[in-house]
Amino acid sequence: MIKTKIQKIKYVYYICNKRAQQGQLSVLRQLLEITWLQATQGIGYALYHLAGMWDKEASWTYKNSFLSQKEYVKNIRKINLRKYHGLTQYKPIEKAIFKFFGIPTGTYIGTLNNFWGRTAEGDNLRNCGDMRKLFEKYINTTICFKIFEGAGGKGFKAFQIRKENGAIQAFSLPYDEKHQLPDLYQALLSENPDGWVLEEYITQHSTLAALNPSSVNTIRMYVFQDRKGIVRVLGGFLRIGRKNSIVDNTSAGGIMSSIDLEKGVLNAASIVTPELHSMSRHPDHKSQIEGISLPFWREAKELGIKTLTILPNTRFAGLDIAITPNGPVMVEVNIQPDVDGLCYLKIPVARIFNS
């Protein structure tokens, strides 16, 4: 325990000294501000550095415009009526909402469940035989499997369905491992007995595929509705997966690049740590990131605004949006997205939530 605390102190000093060496606030000034903000608002060194409060030009008003994790959650519960939180956290219901309101999203295939599983066409999807029958219609198609309630890429799997010597088999991404259907079925239900939502794998636009081809690289967009009913996009960043990863989530090691709100152009990317080490190219395969223009950015913002307006008594959300060759599609809605991303984008949520 003592060793851990000493290591933490050393790390905090290291990142404060790094900014001081860059000509920003002195180490002492940073440490004093962190101590004060922690004591008065619960904002620690991580949020302090993610929000760039070490910047000499950052005002004290700006530094007081952020929320600790605890206060952030309390505010979310005020502006997003709690009884509706589960609508978008349970994926089968979320897919139904998207379909009902005409929100473009990944093609729904069915829900695998031992007792009530059904395909999109209404056929049973409750056992290995049902799954085999369904896969007959999706030969040479990649299918995503998602647990009903999950975040951060947890529980996400993708398999390409093939037929070899008359037998249907599933090959998992990204390493093309072969799975016999009985084994796959048992593994899926053992991992998550509640079941799985099945969707067609989203084919992303070539511009985004070039950034990292093994993952569908998605936009995290923050959208807010003020008390006057005006909905606006607060900001967003592109999440980019690492080499051979099928998910782009920052919690799974992915990197992020903030997006120019007006132009849709990517800024230098960062790994989500308080240091925010900046990189213009992908760290694994050196593809260019900084300066790339996102296709369909205007349409993505319009989709984000439309999506928030269909959610009952919900004024704020973090939206995950993929860009296909034909335009943006909604992946999922997060009514309590991580506060870290808001700090990274320097979005002063305390002030905005009061508007």
Side-chain angles (χ1 to χ4, degrees), residues 165-214:
N165 300 319
I168 298 176
Q169 295 169 333
F171 294 76
S172 59
L173 271 59
Y175 299 113
D176 211 37
E177 296 172 311
K178 184 189 294 187
H179 299 266
Q180 305 296 331
L181 293 200
D183 296 335
L184 175 61
Y185 175 78
Q186 288 300 325
L188 288 169
L189 271 297
S190 295
E191 180 177 338
N192 190 51
D194 289 338
W196 300 78
V197 170
L198 280 63
E199 299 177 10
E200 285 191 33
Y201 191 77
I202 293 173
T203 300
Q204 65 185 333
H205 193 283
S206 59
T207 299
L208 285 90
L211 301 175
N212 188 64
S214 67

Side-chain angles (χ1 to χ4, degrees), residues 47-68:
L47 295 186
Y48 180 92
H49 278 270
L50 282 173
M53 297 184 195
W54 38 260
D55 193 322
K56 273 187 173 182
E57 303 302 317
S59 67
W60 194 245
T61 300
Y62 169 77
K63 296 173 189 183
N64 280 281
S65 297
F66 291 86
L67 297 168
S68 67

Side-chain angles (χ1 to χ4, degrees), residues 82-96:
R82 199 170 184 184
K83 72 176 182 178
Y84 295 109
H85 284 197
L87 289 179
T88 58
Q89 304 313 295
Y90 190 68
K91 287 184 172 59
I93 294 178
E94 183 180 56
K95 295 297 291 186

